[in-house]
Amino acid sequence: MDGHIIGELTATGLIVVESAGIIEGQVTAEQVQVEGKITGNLECQRLTIAASGTVEGEIVTDKIEIFNGGQFIGSRVKDKPKLLENKQPELEIACSKAS
């Protein structure tokens, strides 16, 4: 991704934020590679922050790799970010209404 996204981004595989890419909002994916900038909550299995990359916010990840020059500003938590927890009941309600 080489552009600017404001909002929520969800993928089942890999999200690559290229050097000119910016994401402001919630990001959820199996793997995330950051060469640009993410500002917001992030949940993934594996996070890689390149030398030119910046992640600012709360992250939940099993594995994190930060290359020399890469920046992580925020906190890493063991549980899902509060933003995801707040959306869970809404999703369950929407699904049960659709049934």
Side-chain angles (χ1 to χ4, degrees):
M1 198 240 29
D2 192 11
H4 194 152
I5 294 176
I6 298 174
E8 187 173 326
L9 180 61
T10 302
T12 56
L14 170 67
I15 292 176
V16 178
V17 181
E18 295 181 5
S19 59
I22 299 171
I23 299 176
E24 296 179 62
Q26 175 68 37
V27 177
T28 306
E30 187 175 326
Q31 294 183 43
V32 178
Q33 180 178 328
V34 183
E35 298 169 12
K37 184 173 184 177
I38 295 178
T39 303
N41 292 337
L42 170 64
E43 181 180 2
C44 61
Q45 294 296 314
R46 182 182 179 96
L47 171 63
T48 303
I49 303 174
S52 60
T54 301
V55 174
E56 186 172 342
E58 187 175 88
I59 65 167
V60 176
T61 186
D62 290 336
K63 298 176 184 173
I64 185 169
E65 182 176 24
I66 304 174
F67 286 88
N68 191 18
Q71 296 183 45
F72 170 52
I73 305 161
S75 59
R76 180 179 179 188
V77 295
K78 292 181 181 180
D79 298 323
K80 289 185 177 183
K82 291 181 179 19
L83 180 64
L84 287 180
E85 289 175 4
N86 292 340
K87 288 190 172 220
Q88 203 71 324
E90 293 173 13
L91 179 61
E92 290 172 6
I93 291 169
C95 289
S96 61
K97 285 183 180 179
S99 299

